[in-house]
Amino acid sequence: MEFSWLALLLMVPLIYVMLGVFDVQRASYGATAATRAAGRAFIIVPDGLSEDEARERAFEAARVAMKDQGMELSPDQLKISCNPACLQPGSTVTVELNTEVPLPLIPDALGGERPAIHISASHTESYGDYREAKGDG
């Protein structure tokens, strides 16, 4: 009898911690995959498309990667920057993603903001020195 109560007392927190770890791991993997997909989608933009269209394609690639992990991505979570200029030979594109994963099983009825773990990922892609310049730039 004592073993059953002790097992129950120890197993419930362990399962809760495992659920939290799995959610954070899922979000971390999704964020990493999303930044990589967005960077690649940005630099392989077809001829004739503008920088804005490249950014739209990059966001869509990141959104799909996050959706594969069961998460939604909003435009304010993804930042794309170029150095020195976008879609120019020798430049680099850096994609940064910042999101938060709320801890599981905490009801909204408690009030205030739900506790969350901050997740960030970054990926840099090189446009290449010997490629033709594209876009408006």
Side-chain angles (χ1 to χ4, degrees):
M1 181 70 166
E2 293 83 16
F3 177 75
S4 298
W5 282 107
L6 187 59
L8 184 64
L9 189 64
L10 294 175
M11 291 301 282
V12 170
L14 179 64
I15 291 172
Y16 180 77
V17 167
M18 287 176 53
L19 288 174
V21 167
F22 292 154
D23 279 352
V24 170
Q25 179 62 34
R26 178 175 50 98
S28 296
Y29 179 75
T32 302
T35 55
R36 183 177 185 273
R40 293 183 58 81
F42 190 90
I43 66 166
I44 63 170
V45 65
D47 290 335
L49 292 183
S50 68
E51 180 183 331
D52 289 337
E53 291 166 317
R55 288 179 186 277
E56 289 173 15
R57 290 168 54 98
F59 174 76
E60 187 61 26
R63 190 189 65 75
V64 168
M66 289 295 279
K67 191 171 182 113
D68 283 347
Q69 298 302 316
M71 301 187 68
E72 295 296 322
L73 180 68
S74 63
D76 62 324
Q77 293 174 316
L78 192 72
K79 179 183 170 200
I80 300 172
S81 58
C82 304
N83 185 21
C86 291
L87 304 176
Q88 298 297 316
S91 65
T92 59
V93 176
T94 301
V95 180
E96 297 175 10
L97 189 145
N98 291 302
T99 188
E100 290 189 347
V101 179
L103 293 178
L105 305 174
I106 296 180
D108 293 332
L110 295 177
E113 285 188 40
R114 288 178 60 185
I117 305 293
H118 181 78
I119 303 290
S120 63
S122 177
H123 182 76
T124 301
E125 284 281 341
S126 175
Y127 187 72
D129 289 332
Y130 302 106
R131 293 183 61 186
E132 181 179 348
K134 296 181 183 176
D136 298 334

